[in-house]
Amino acid sequence: MTLPAKATVVEVGPRDGFQMEKTFIPTDVKIDIANRLIESGLRRMEVTSFVSPKAVPQMKDAVLVAKGVERVAGLKLSALVPNPVGAQNAALAGVDEMVVFVSASESHNRSNVRRTIAESLDGFDEVARIAQEAGAALHGAVAVAFGCPFEGQVRKEQVSNIIERMTKLGIGSVTLGDTTGMATPPVVRDLCSHLRSVFPKLKISLHFHNTRGIGLVNVYQALQIGMDRFESSVAGLGGCPFAPGATGNIATEDLVYLLHELGIQTGVDLEKLIAAAGHVERVIGRTLPGQVMKAGARLKRYPLAGACTSPPDP
């Protein structure tokens, strides 16, 4: 089995994670967290979402956040844009990439954005024009690509049809979203293999949730078939309102730990990333689901003095 030598890790916590928080996170705190993540070596980040402040109050400072993040060499900042107004604001903020999204099932798309899939796709034309004029790349995201909580299994042909429409807009990269944690290794293998055969030049990122405890198992399966781009959220922040009790995104530090243990390069300093995850947990004020941030790397050493020992033999 040959695994990729390198993998790209896309941090989505500042958008996908923060948008789920009901208590407003101050703008300077968001910027500081983004900068800490960048300091760890992450160079791809979905930093915010240019949605209506009424719909998602947490994202009302999107322009300030995008402009406030320290722009280091090689950094590529992306942002979610639901419509042309969001795209115009993203252009003003100077993001490198705009992300348009649609669900793979009609039921989820209607529930999420109150549109049919066709209506959502039609709306991308104007966003594509704005992105092109601003010199920003356009990235597509397909939610519930591995299964819909309303309709069950999603046909791979349906996903293909959506992506084909996206490519006609000049989109050369897409994310497949496991929005409510319905992906399993066979489903991942089947869909990804199909899409790679249909769109051999397309850059495909995978966005897994750990809702049913196998988020990293799905990553490992994807690696085995050559996939090398993954989205994750620091400390496991985020989730989906349609999956009660869901633990949300796979944690970035857990993902990086797995990749490093497999000998796959990421360019990320795991210790700095763990420190950033711990900081995020303190800011949020509750225990977050990331595991490596609690246990540390596999070869972390501990002092013997004060360690728990068994009672002496009688």
Side-chain angles (χ1 to χ4, degrees):
M1 180 178 63
T2 302
L3 300 178
K6 298 179 180 180
T8 299
V9 177
V10 183
E11 174 60 53
V12 300
R15 194 281 298 175
D16 195 354
F18 288 170
Q19 73 176 9
M20 299 297 295
E21 297 299 315
K22 295 181 180 180
T23 301
F24 183 74
I25 302 169
T27 303
D28 60 337
V29 174
K30 291 174 182 169
I31 294 172
D32 175 63
I33 289 173
N35 287 338
R36 288 171 186 251
L37 294 167
I38 293 167
E39 174 64 22
S40 76
L42 290 163
R43 290 296 178 266
R44 294 291 304 273
M45 181 180 297
E46 195 171 270
V47 70
T48 191
S49 177
F50 289 89
V51 295
S52 166
K54 293 182 179 179
V56 188
Q58 188 67 252
M59 299 286 107
K60 66 183 180 182
D61 56 357
V63 172
L64 294 175
V65 170
K67 286 187 173 182
V69 172
E70 183 180 359
R71 304 302 291 266
V72 302
L75 177 66
K76 189 171 185 178
L77 292 182
S78 63
L80 203 67
V81 294
N83 50 46
V85 173
Q88 290 169 351
N89 290 331
L92 291 174
V95 301
D96 302 304
E97 181 178 73
M98 301 185 195
V99 182
V100 292
F101 60 95
V102 65
S103 299
S105 78
E106 291 288 356
S107 299
H108 191 273
N109 206 65
R110 287 181 180 276
S111 177
N112 196 30
V113 296
R114 298 180 182 179
R115 293 180 179 180
T116 65
I117 292 175
E119 288 169 341
S120 287
L121 291 171
D122 287 342
F124 294 165
D125 292 340
E126 180 64 10
V127 173
R129 183 190 66 78
I130 295 169
Q132 183 177 27
E133 290 180 354
L138 195 63
H139 179 85
V142 184
V144 298
F146 299 98
C148 172
F150 307 121
E151 298 182 16
Q153 189 65 42
V154 173
R155 295 172 57 250
K156 57 189 177 186
E157 290 80 11
Q158 172 70 359
V159 180
S160 293
N161 292 339
I162 291 171
I163 292 176
E164 183 177 8
R165 176 68 185 276
M166 288 180 169
T167 61
K168 290 179 179 179
L169 292 173
I171 292 175
S173 61
V174 299
T175 292
L176 303 178
D178 181 28
T179 312
T180 59
M182 294 176 67
T184 65
V187 174
V188 171
R189 183 176 60 249
D190 186 42
L191 178 59
C192 292
S193 297
H194 171 72
L195 293 178
R196 291 180 71 186
S197 67
V198 177
F199 307 101
K201 296 182 179 181
L202 185 69
K203 294 180 180 179
I204 301 175
S205 299
L206 301 176
H207 181 127
F208 292 122
H209 281 214
N210 202 41
T211 306
R212 291 170 175 84
I214 59 170
L216 291 182
V217 177
N218 290 324
V219 169
Y220 189 54
Q221 171 64 85
L223 289 167
Q224 292 179 39
I225 58 173
M227 309 300 290
D228 61 359
R229 301 167 68 88
F230 302 94
E231 296 184 357
S232 55
S233 178
V234 61
L237 274 171
C240 178
F242 300 130
T247 53
N249 300 291
I250 56 173
T252 305
E253 61 278 7
D254 294 359
L255 171 63
V256 170
Y257 171 72
L258 171 65
L259 294 172
H260 287 185
E261 287 295 315
L262 292 172
I264 299 172
Q265 299 177 27
T266 65
V268 178
D269 184 317
L270 180 59
E271 291 303 322
K272 289 183 178 180
L273 181 56
I274 288 173
H279 176 70
V280 169
E281 187 173 66
R282 290 189 291 274
V283 167
I284 299 300
R286 67 176 186 278
T287 300
L288 296 176
Q291 297 297 301
V292 173
M293 64 184 286
K294 301 177 180 66
R298 179 172 63 89
L299 296 179
K300 181 179 179 180
R301 297 292 200 274
Y302 298 89
L304 184 59
C308 294
T309 58
S310 59
D313 293 335

